[in-house]
Every structure is written in structure tokens, then in C-alpha cells.
Amino acid sequence: MKLIKIDRKSPNASSFSLNTTQDAHFLKIWHYHPELELVLILESTGTRFIGDSISKFAPGELVLLGSNLPHMWLNDPEYFEPHTALKAEAIAIHFRKEFLGTDFLETPEMASIASLLDRAARGIVFEKVSSKIKQKILQLSALSPFERTMQFLDLLHELSTTPGRAISSTGFQNSALTSNSKNFDAVYEYLFKNFRKPIMLGEVAALIPMNSSAFSRLFSKFHKKSFTRYLNEIRIGYACRLLIEKRYDVSEICYACGFNSLSNFNRQFKIITGKTPLEYAEYHQKRM
């Protein structure tokens, strides 16, 4: 997946843009943009790639993305089959942090919204949003420009008090904002494309190109974690999705995620999620 910068500027000099996607599947592009993005999934299922996170998505999920946070919603394979009747539908709102002025969020009244937008740097998923919040998003397109702006501001305030979970790991640093972005983009593209098979440090280091030791030091300094830990987090994120879908047993998932040892898979899963694969699957089955 090549990381692409996309222009999401608001049309007609408006403070934010509102877009509804209705298609056979979502845009299959690993991309980023300077605007923040609020996305409500209305229809379809698949896998969302956000920062260094890989998770399943389903209708009703609401996600807030920070500026320049790489992301992609990849629909399940059946959405790409010829003559499919399946549809993908979502509402996306793109806006700048300073969409109401550079000093607006610095006022005491806006403190909770400012905090929400800061937390969005890693991405936030709201898994249990009220019907009231969903309705406010659905109503936006029918409102006048002034009413739409006021309702959107009210929506952000409500989300600032709604429980949400960070998506990317604490160690994730946005390559789009660094001088090393071009080099690391090649690394990310390679990892997301090949994480399901064995990957050697040397073959990834050659993409920069650097020797393995120098690359390992640079990677750890940049991400605040080792290359092996980063790769394992990508693989375990994919494993979590497969466990939730209940399509495969644990041993099949182990090898489908790029691990060559069931014991190592179980150990890494527990380190990263705090649960064994079976405990994780049981926990999510109870919540569904």
C-alpha cells in the first residue's frame, strides 16, 4: 500500500466539508490529509488500517482521525466480487483544527473540544455512540450553513464527553510529519503488504537503505519501540480481527498472521493485548 496525500480542502470556502460515500466499496487507498476526519460507517464490513492499527469495522462505528494520520477502510473480499449487490456507505466530515479561527479553541469554553481534537492524533473509535449523536450527523446535510456549523460544534462537544478508545499505539509517530517520512513510507508499505509471511530485519532495512543495526537503532528511536515489537503489533492487530470474526481457530490464525510458532503467537498476544487469544475471543463474544 503506497501512502498518498489527498486534498480534502472544504469547497466553497466553507469551514468544513461533508461527504457521503455510497458505492460497491470504499476507496482502496492508504492515504492521509492535513484535515481531521470524523467518519460514521452506515453500511458494510471490513478491516480499517489506521496508523499502526489493524481492526475490523462494522456499521454504526464512529471514528475521529487526527491531522495527517494515515488510514484506509478496506472492505471484505466479497465487496469486490463482480456483480455483487453489497454496498458500502459512510458519512465523512473533514475539517481543520482551526476551522473557526486560530484562537477559538484556546477559549476556556472550548477546552473539552480542544482536548478531544488533541487526542485524535492517534485516532479515536467510539464503539457505542447514542442514536442522538448519529442523528445529528445524518441531519447535517439538510441544514443551512450557519445551522450546520452550530450543530457540528455541538456534536464535537458531545463527543468530547463520550467514551472513546485510542486506535494507534502510544509509540506510533506519524511519518507524514517527519523528515524521514519518504523512507519510512516504503517500510510501512512493505510491512502492511507482507506482514502475513516471515519478514527479516535485513530485507526491510534494505528499503531505506541501511545496514540492519543502524536501521534497528533508527526505528527504535523513531517509534519508541523495537522493529520486532512494531511488526508483532501489526500481526496481533490482524489476529484480533480474525478472532472477532470467528472464521478460524487459534492455530490457523497464528500462521495466517505471520507467526511460525503457536507458543510464540500466544506469548506475544498476551504481551500486547493483556489476554490470551481465547480470552480475547470470549470477551468480544460477550460484548456482541
Side-chain angles (χ1 to χ4, degrees), residues 4-75:
I4 297 174
K5 183 176 181 179
I6 289 183
D7 185 357
R8 294 294 193 188
K9 291 179 181 177
S10 302
N12 304 320
S14 60
S15 57
F16 62 92
S17 67
L18 179 67
N19 301 288
T20 299
T21 298
Q22 291 177 314
D23 211 333
H25 53 79
F26 293 134
L27 189 66
K28 192 179 177 182
I29 297 178
W30 174 238
H31 67 283
Y32 67 97
H33 39 74
E35 295 79 15
L36 289 88
E37 181 174 353
L38 182 66
V39 183
L40 174 62
I41 303 296
L42 299 175
E43 189 174 347
S44 83
T45 60
T47 303
R48 56 171 162 80
F49 297 76
I50 297 176
D52 59 359
S53 168
I54 303 175
S55 298
K56 179 182 173 62
F57 72 83
E61 180 179 275
L62 183 64
V63 169
L64 178 62
L65 303 175
S67 175
N68 291 312
L69 181 61
H71 57 280
M72 176 177 71
W73 273 259
L74 179 63
N75 285 114

Side-chain angles (χ1 to χ4, degrees), residues 188-204:
Y188 301 140
E189 179 182 354
Y190 185 85
L191 292 181
F192 279 115
K193 187 181 293 185
N194 298 287
F195 70 87
R196 283 166 285 193
K197 64 183 184 181
I199 294 178
M200 303 299 293
L201 177 63
E203 64 190 89
V204 180

